Amino acid sequence: MPAVTCDQLVKRYGAVVAVDGLSFSVERGECFGLLGPNGAGKTTTIEILEGLLEPDAGGVEILGLRWRTAERELRQRLGIQLQETQLAEKLTVEETLRVFRSFYHRGRTIDELLAIVELESKRGSWVGRLSGGQKQRLAVACALAGDPDLLFLDEPTTGLDPQSRRQLWDLLKRFRQDGGTLVLTTHYMDEAETLCDRVAIIDHGGMIAQGTPRDLIAALGAPRVVTHSGTLEDVFVSLTGRHLREE
Amino acid sequence: MKNEIDRGGAHHPLIELTLARLREFLREPEALFWTFVFPIIMSVALAIAFPGSGVKPAVVGIEPGDRGAAIRQALAATQGITIRDIRPGDEERALREGEVHLLIVPTDPPAYRYDVAREESHLARLLVDDALKRAAGRKDPFSAREEPVRIAGSRYVDWLIPGIVGMTIMGTSMWGIGFSVVQTRMRKVLKRLIASPMRKHEFLLAQIGGRLVFLAPEAGVPLLLGAFVLGMPIRGSMLSISVVCLVGALAFGGLGLLLASRARTFEAISGLMNLAMVPMWVVSGVFFSSSNFPQAVQPIIQALPLTALINALRAVILEGAGTAGVWRELAVLAAWGVVGFGVALRIFRWR
Ligand SMILES: Nc1ncnc2c1ncn2[C@@H]1O[C@H](COP(=O)(O)OP(=O)(O)OP(=O)(O)O)[C@@H](O)[C@H]1O
Ligand SMILES: [Mg+2]
């Protein structure tokens, strides 16, 4: 049984079709990446999977369960990091983690969580006074609080410095070694290549390509890349075009 | 136990959420300032407006100079009259602004100039007339035996303080909850929380719970000031008073959540709060008795939470009623709290 299956998802905002008939599935233990330009529908898709948005059409199954009937169990088993996670500014890092940890019936201790994201030295700092990268790491720690089976991360490394990115990658690799399933969105192709077993490239709410990074690069065709071996970025740009998205 | 819940060192979510709410509030200097300072300002204003003795002296104006010397001398010996110099030409203003209650024109016989619409002017006229006639040699046909008694709790200020306490509980509960909920929603913190396994009713309960801690200073300051500085009697037990305040705070907590359940901006929540609270300030008997309103609307007025809270406070504080004696008011308050909370839980907007 896959960790995530979604079938013909549709989500409209007035005239905008944010998600236009997406179908894919994510196996257990897999890392699945959603790639796409700004406004492609990544956040909308992931929030539907997270049970935060109701799709206009289509079905979602998470860990073999449905949101309508098993929301409480699913919430215990998922870890979620929103694209713009906001946490209370006037609570400290430790207090924030305590609040989130208290919701879960199992998981790591506060100290372990602080150690995983290397925020021990900021334990007593107000969230509002953290740097962007530190906030991002705290958001990931909150997502990990309940020792989730399935982790959704929406642009987890945006705004991080190279050290923090690599540190987060290591953390996510360890999460996968422990059997966790990971669904993430990113604009960094090197990140997708490093972390993801499979990626989906979407644009205008629809699926453009899906497969392992290696297959996608191979499919792009060797002739075009003579001087260097192809990258996922080459694939991405060739599939989604070079023009900017108004956003 | 096999199914034991492991919270990794954190407390029950209800406790953690309440603590979080409390901490956030304590770290918000302005909110904290108003919570503690508002009741103090109110109480001090009351203490100044109603000095302990209760009866204010009659203030009488007279022109400076020799013409009024005899009158001045006759009045100086009389208790309860304060004399003020008012220059000719300034009389109109002094009367209009209430600087003096009565103006004596020192002719022979003197003339009294005063505003017939003012109660205190009539009182001043009686006192002055009596004092001047007596000084002029009037013989009283008899002297009544005076039997002064003082009934504690019958003054306006005694009646007013429970109203102020009720108003404070309403205001701080509603604003405290309304603003923080809307702020949490605007900053999308609610959206993140709802993505976790947090139970919705626990979050809402914590919003009320976080406020209850402040009930002691909010209600306590005006009550203590009233009792010890203004001499208001406290006839009921501390327990009964606390129960009434607590149930009142819960009622307005539920109502505050209800008003904040959909609002997405501070403007929206402010409008709703004022819409709910201003009518109650007027009709619920904070400053004047709600019995002044027509009989036809009394059932509505009596069903309002502020009316119930203030009536219960007055009964407990001034008449010494117990909680059993105010069960109807407590029931009205509990109903507002429970219904407000229940509806808020159903219609609450989490993002
Ligand atoms: N609440 C909303 N109301 C109206 N339109 C919306 C709403 N949320 C998203 N959209 C629209 O839906 C489309 C997809 O948005 P979405 O946030 O899913 O994109 P994204 O792929 O996550 O983009 P980004 O990379 O910039 O995060 C966009 O055109 C966006 O403007
Ligand atoms: Mg997005």
Side-chain angles (χ1 to χ4, degrees):
Chain A
M1 174 183 46
V4 175
T5 46
C6 63
D7 183 35
Q8 293 296 320
L9 285 187
V10 177
K11 181 74 186 177
R12 290 185 203 89
Y13 290 110
V16 179
V17 185
V19 179
D20 193 5
L22 267 191
S23 306
F24 60 86
S25 66
V26 180
E27 294 305 316
R28 294 211 181 203
E30 193 179 26
C31 176
F32 188 79
L34 279 172
L35 313 181
N38 291 140
K42 303 181 295 297
T43 297
T44 309
T45 305
I46 210 168
E47 288 190 355
I48 291 172
L49 300 181
E50 290 163 347
L52 295 174
L53 286 177
E54 189 84 26
D56 294 322
V60 173
E61 214 168 274
I62 307 288
L63 301 170
L65 300 166
R66 292 195 173 265
W67 280 109
R68 203 174 287 281
T69 49
E71 165 148 18
R72 280 184 69 184
E73 182 185 346
L74 279 173
R75 291 257 171 255
Q76 284 287 341
R77 294 175 63 187
L78 298 191
I80 289 175
Q81 183 244 333
L82 301 174
Q83 180 165 0
E84 31 185 89
T85 292
Q86 296 291 349
L87 299 164
E89 303 235 309
K90 293 197 171 163
L91 293 181
T92 67
V93 168
E94 180 177 2
E95 288 159 1
T96 303
L97 283 173
R98 289 182 74 91
V99 171
F100 276 90
R101 182 61 185 83
S102 77
F103 302 146
Y104 294 92
H105 297 172
R106 61 178 176 131
R108 297 187 170 81
T109 64
I110 310 293
D111 289 336
E112 285 168 355
L113 289 168
L114 284 168
I116 288 174
V117 294
E118 293 180 27
L119 279 176
E120 293 113 320
S121 65
K122 291 286 170 187
R123 160 195 290 270
S125 305
W126 287 10
V127 172
R129 300 198 180 144
L130 296 180
S131 76
Q134 290 164 344
K135 268 187 205 162
Q136 194 80 324
R137 268 143 63 194
L138 178 60
V140 172
C142 290
L144 289 172
D147 206 1
D149 298 330
L150 171 57
L151 193 55
F152 287 106
L153 305 173
D154 197 353
E155 297 193 25
T157 60
T158 299
L160 295 192
D161 64 25
Q163 288 82 0
S164 306
R165 279 179 75 198
R166 273 162 187 77
Q167 192 243 328
L168 190 63
W169 291 355
D170 290 343
L171 188 166
L172 295 178
K173 283 174 187 162
R174 258 178 283 133
F175 171 76
R176 293 201 42 220
Q177 277 161 17
D178 296 340
T181 309
L182 189 55
V183 176
L184 60 84
T185 74
T186 181
H187 288 296
Y188 302 113
M189 295 306 133
D190 56 335
E191 180 163 299
E193 268 187 86
T194 309
L195 291 177
C196 297
D197 303 311
R198 278 189 313 129
V199 298
I201 298 178
I202 62 177
D203 199 5
H204 304 294
M207 181 76 70
I208 297 181
Q210 197 180 168
T212 65
R214 183 194 298 259
D215 289 346
L216 290 181
I217 293 165
L220 187 62
R224 282 187 59 189
V225 275
V226 189
T227 51
H228 68 292
S229 58
T231 66
L232 198 54
E233 186 132 359
D234 298 325
V235 178
F236 185 84
V237 172
S238 91
L239 289 176
T240 58
R242 286 186 168 276
H243 65 282
L244 290 182
R245 308 304 162 109
E246 55 270 357
E247 248 187 347
Chain B
M1 264 198 293
K2 253 175 102 187
N3 283 334
E4 202 172 358
I5 291 174
D6 160 30
R7 300 192 200 279
H11 299 293
H12 188 277
L14 196 50
I15 296 175
E16 292 291 349
L17 284 166
T18 307
L19 282 175
R21 184 69 211 96
L22 201 58
R23 287 173 174 137
E24 280 184 278
F25 193 78
L26 286 170
R27 291 165 192 174
E28 199 82 58
E30 294 93 342
L32 200 62
F33 177 81
W34 287 113
T35 298
F36 288 92
V37 168
F38 179 74
I40 294 176
I41 292 178
M42 269 300 211
S43 309
V44 170
L46 281 180
I48 293 169
F50 301 95
S53 73
V55 182
K56 285 185 281 185
V59 186
V60 175
I62 190 162
E63 59 171 61
D66 287 346
R67 273 215 308 165
I71 292 174
R72 212 179 284 267
Q73 203 182 344
L75 293 182
T78 313
Q79 279 206 339
I81 295 182
T82 304
I83 305 167
R84 237 174 240 165
D85 288 344
I86 302 295
R87 301 191 175 284
D90 197 26
E91 295 102 334
E92 276 283 314
R93 185 204 57 82
L95 277 175
R96 187 180 60 240
E97 294 181 0
E99 185 184 335
V100 297
H101 301 138
L102 178 88
L103 207 82
I104 304 175
V105 187
T107 46
D108 190 19
Y112 305 142
R113 197 177 294 166
Y114 62 101
D115 182 351
V116 289
R118 282 193 171 203
E119 228 174 304
E120 56 271 32
S121 297
H122 284 285
L123 184 64
R125 201 205 76 92
L126 286 176
L127 284 171
V128 166
D129 196 48
D130 182 58
L132 292 183
K133 281 182 177 157
R134 198 174 295 202
R138 183 189 67 187
K139 285 279 167 287
D140 292 333
F142 64 88
S143 297
R145 191 159 31 87
E146 310 267 342
E147 294 184 350
V149 290
R150 179 166 276 197
I151 301 171
S154 60
R155 302 165 305 164
Y156 175 63
V157 63
D158 300 326
W159 187 85
L160 183 57
I161 290 170
I164 298 285
V165 172
M167 197 175 84
T168 307
I169 291 175
M170 171 171 83
T172 52
S173 305
M174 302 253 286
W175 287 117
I177 288 176
F179 265 105
S180 84
V181 165
V182 170
Q183 188 179 19
T184 317
R185 181 177 294 124
M186 279 167 65
R187 298 195 50 249
K188 299 202 176 173
V189 179
L190 282 183
K191 183 174 175 183
R192 176 60 188 93
L193 286 173
I194 207 64
S196 79
M198 181 188 75
R199 309 299 308 279
K200 295 174 179 174
H201 67 273
E202 288 179 348
F203 174 83
L204 298 188
L205 280 176
Q207 303 307 302
I208 298 181
R211 291 288 323 158
L212 290 184
V213 179
F214 298 100
L215 192 57
E218 284 161 6
V221 168
L223 281 178
L224 291 179
L225 237 119
F228 291 110
V229 178
L230 302 177
M232 175 187 72
I234 295 192
R235 299 214 169 89
S237 69
M238 274 301 147
L239 181 67
S240 309
I241 298 173
S242 307
V243 168
V244 170
C245 290
L246 189 69
V247 177
L250 291 174
F252 287 111
L255 194 54
L257 280 177
L258 178 60
L259 294 184
S261 59
R262 310 280 308 161
R264 277 198 269 221
T265 61
F266 286 139
E267 287 77 8
I269 189 67
S270 302
L272 284 171
M273 290 276 168
N274 285 325
L275 191 67
M277 291 202 289
V278 172
M280 285 199 268
W281 288 340
V282 178
V283 304
S284 287
V286 179
F287 299 103
F288 55 91
S289 171
S290 53
S291 60
N292 286 317
F293 291 95
Q295 203 57 40
V297 293
Q298 284 300 328
I300 300 173
I301 292 179
Q302 297 304 318
L304 292 174
L306 188 58
T307 318
L309 177 57
I310 292 177
N311 286 348
L313 282 171
R314 286 193 180 126
V316 171
I317 294 171
L318 301 178
E319 292 158 28
T323 45
V326 292
W327 70 269
R328 294 184 57 185
E329 284 81 4
L330 292 179
V332 168
L333 290 171
W336 278 98
V338 170
V339 172
F341 185 88
V343 176
L345 185 59
R346 286 195 71 96
I347 68 171
F348 206 80
R349 191 199 297 275
W350 291 95
R351 70 196 99 195

